[in-house]
Amino acid sequence: MLGEIVSNGRACGVVVGLLDSDESRQIFTHGNAGSNSLPLSAESVFEIGSITKVFTSILLTDMVQRGEVELSEPLAKLLPFHLDMNYHAIQAKHLNTPTMPWAS
């Protein structure tokens, strides 16, 4: 499948990482990162722009569906560390919106 993406001209190179439930990892690469570039690997870095918002929304939706988190939960409660700043007003649902509560 990766070869097809590259051969169809949709990308010059692709790196896909899979993390299984047993925490085993697999890295698949195809193509290259462009002329005069290093070979693609698990350490390859790509400019992904605003796509992280999509990943965050997908993961949050999955966690809600599995009952691991509620959208109204304070974000500070979900973090594995203490925040020194007063972020208790930020809820998990704010991760799915383009603006945060303090931005207005």
Side-chain angles (χ1 to χ4, degrees):
M1 184 161 100
L2 298 181
E4 183 179 324
I5 292 169
V6 173
S7 65
N8 287 343
R10 293 174 39 206
C12 61
V14 181
V15 177
V16 174
L18 299 176
L19 178 62
D20 207 341
S21 59
D22 65 359
E23 296 190 23
S24 62
R25 299 175 184 195
Q26 297 181 54
I27 306 295
F28 302 94
T29 66
H30 193 83
N32 60 64
S35 59
N36 301 320
S37 63
L38 296 172
L40 294 175
S41 71
E43 285 76 36
S44 296
V45 177
F46 291 87
E47 177 73 34
I48 60 172
S50 294
I51 196 70
T52 55
K53 295 174 193 139
V54 175
F55 292 142
T56 301
S57 292
I58 290 169
L59 292 172
L60 180 60
T61 300
D62 184 58
M63 291 175 72
V64 168
Q65 289 179 342
R66 288 187 282 144
E68 296 176 356
V69 65
E70 291 187 25
L71 290 176
S72 60
E73 282 188 78
L75 190 58
K77 178 181 171 188
L78 303 172
L79 297 174
F81 52 85
H82 173 72
L83 292 173
D84 291 332
M85 300 177 75
N86 187 10
Y87 287 119
H88 64 274
I90 303 170
Q91 298 174 352
K93 67 182 177 185
H94 294 122
L95 298 176
N96 273 0
T97 59
T99 59
M100 296 298 276
W102 65 82
S104 55

